Amino acid sequence: MPPASTQMPLVLTCPAGAEAMAVAEAKALGLRGEPRIEPGRIHYARASFRDAATLALWHRTSERVWLVAAEFHARHRNELEQGAARAELDRFLPSPDAPVHLRVSTHRSRLHHTDAVAEWFRAAATLPAEDTPSEPGTQTIALRIARDHCQVWIDARGPSRGRRGWRERTGAAPLPEPVATCVLRAVGWTPEAPLIDPCCGSGTIPIEAARWALSLPVLAHAEPSAVLWPAMQAGTLAAARQARPAPVESAAFPYLGSDEAEQAVESAVHNAERAGCNAEMRFECMDAAYRSYGDGGGFVVTNPPWGQRMDAYDLSVFRERLGDRFRRLGKNWRVAVVEPSRKHAEQLLGACEEVVRLRWGGISAGVFLRGAGR
């Protein structure tokens, strides 16, 4: 078995538009090299097992962390099977019968029937025949074939794209957890600053903020897949755990969230308890237009209702009332909203700046900021 220091290509996936934030965070965690960037993907030519484990544990703006375990040409079945056998994927499986979710994609390749490719690859790589995408402890492997060139990607985090494991209850159109972290970073919030979300829904923004401040692992209630790899040596894993960013002893606690729906507040409280940060949070059932903010200043960051989440008339009235409340806040409050268009954002903030546009799951929305002094 190769030592855990073996270097392999590494790919981070993130919400499109957040690539610069993801690169900066990876650099802060010790990942070296200049990456190749494309929308939603960041490619590093070389990374170690320690890098993969560190990013799987602590890199918050990413959805997945992939190691590219093998590359080979596969113009026909025999070449595919030979490459699969040489990949030695047992290095990444806790046991021979460990559950595996195999994803196959092909583009302009002679091998284009994904079901057949999956069957041949599984047999040659001695992977379990049954695909189990939802079973706990599943190792996800992505087989990507483009112009007859095959790459085998191994998911170092799991268990699924972007999900952190703490959000058991959700409301209408919640932000994915990585998107919430990207929103916070984009507006310049840091854990030392007060934070209020007046349309908190199931609590995603303030809970991700608190987990960031406490420097809790990205995944709650689960270890990253990389922890279970036979190729992951104990010393390598220990070094990855020691790469944990220092938690913040924040005078800004508790972070505040509120929502006018009692069920949403109950969900947020439940999720905060599961996330291990209920002591750093306070949620209240309250109309956002009547939220009290105080004079100390800080950040208001929220994902207010938009799209089909409210009746058109009710949504218009809500925006008018909430916008009036936001515009009356003092200049020491930086107010940010997630909205699909500048027109919608200006209804709430007046003059504002779109600091980043994020895309995830077929959705495109801007993060608009009315900063101090604006």
Side-chain angles (χ1 to χ4, degrees):
M1 180 181 300
S5 60
T6 297
Q7 298 284 307
M8 297 180 182
L10 181 143
V11 182
L12 290 172
T13 61
C14 65
E19 296 84 8
M21 287 181 274
V23 169
E25 186 182 8
K27 185 175 181 180
L29 287 169
L31 188 58
R32 299 179 179 179
E34 291 299 321
R36 175 173 62 85
I37 298 174
E38 58 186 61
R41 287 183 186 153
I42 304 160
H43 300 259
Y44 289 88
R46 288 297 181 195
S48 66
F49 275 55
R50 173 182 173 175
D51 292 327
T54 298
L55 297 174
L57 283 163
W58 311 115
H59 193 273
R60 300 185 178 278
T61 50
S62 59
E63 298 167 335
R64 288 189 187 268
V65 180
W66 301 93
L67 272 185
V68 183
E71 296 187 69
F72 50 88
H73 285 287
R75 291 165 294 183
H76 45 73
R77 178 177 176 177
N78 285 346
E79 288 184 337
L80 176 73
E81 291 176 336
Q82 290 168 8
R86 290 195 302 267
E88 298 180 312
L89 297 185
D90 57 325
R91 295 176 293 166
F92 306 101
L93 303 180
S95 65
D97 59 349
V100 172
H101 175 42
L102 179 62
R103 296 166 38 183
V104 178
S105 64
T106 65
H107 177 70
R108 294 186 178 182
S109 297
R110 292 174 177 83
L111 294 173
H112 60 273
H113 193 296
T114 56
D115 288 343
V117 167
E119 181 181 348
W120 299 335
F121 185 85
R122 278 184 178 276
T126 64
L127 300 178
E130 184 178 358
D131 194 73
T132 53
S134 60
E135 185 174 333
T138 295
Q139 175 62 65
T140 298
I141 299 176
L143 183 66
R144 302 170 55 83
I145 308 177
R147 299 181 185 274
D148 300 329
H149 181 75
C150 182
Q151 291 187 326
V152 183
W153 290 17
I154 309 295
D155 182 10
R157 179 178 286 158
S160 59
R161 176 183 174 184
R163 296 181 183 176
R164 307 307 202 204
W166 58 259
R167 192 165 66 182
E168 195 169 61
R169 300 180 184 177
T170 60
L175 288 181
E177 295 95 312
V179 174
T181 298
C182 292
V183 169
L184 290 165
R185 289 181 179 270
V187 301
W189 180 82
T190 57
E192 298 85 354
L195 175 69
I196 300 177
D197 181 352
C199 307
C200 71
S202 56
T204 305
I205 290 176
I207 290 174
E208 277 297 300
R211 288 183 61 81
W212 173 7
L214 296 171
S215 196
L216 298 176
V218 171
L219 295 184
H221 307 288
E223 289 277 28
S225 300
V227 170
L228 303 177
W229 293 346
M232 184 64 67
Q233 297 180 350
T236 301
L237 182 58
R241 293 193 189 282
Q242 290 171 3
R244 175 193 182 194
V248 175
E249 298 292 337
S250 179
F253 290 144
Y255 300 143
L256 307 178
S258 58
D259 200 284
E260 63 180 5
E262 184 176 352
Q263 184 177 0
V265 173
E266 291 174 354
S267 296
V269 171
H270 174 83
N271 289 337
E273 290 174 351
R274 279 187 52 81
C277 56
N278 54 308
E280 288 73 31
M281 316 293 304
R282 188 167 76 240
F283 293 104
E284 302 171 293
C285 188
M286 181 183 302
D287 187 324
Y290 298 104
R291 165 96 240 179
S292 175
Y293 292 90
D295 300 324
F299 285 75
V300 178
V301 183
T302 193
N303 175 35
W306 45 276
Q308 302 299 316
R309 291 160 64 180
M310 292 179 68
D311 174 85
Y313 174 77
D314 292 340
L315 183 58
S316 177
V317 172
F318 172 82
R319 286 181 178 282
E320 183 178 345
R321 293 170 55 243
L322 183 59
D324 179 67
R325 183 70 186 93
F326 282 166
R327 288 189 290 271
R328 287 188 287 112
L329 284 177
K331 293 182 178 180
N332 53 343
W333 285 100
R334 294 170 65 88
V335 187
V337 297
V338 180
E339 288 285 353
S341 70
R342 176 173 292 277
K343 176 183 176 182
H344 289 109
E346 289 179 345
Q347 289 177 341
L348 296 174
L349 303 180
C352 57
E353 175 188 358
E354 184 177 21
V355 293
V356 71
R357 177 156 291 269
L358 301 173
R359 293 175 295 283
W360 69 94
I363 296 172
S364 174
V367 181
F368 295 87
L369 175 66
R370 189 208 74 181
R374 291 183 182 275

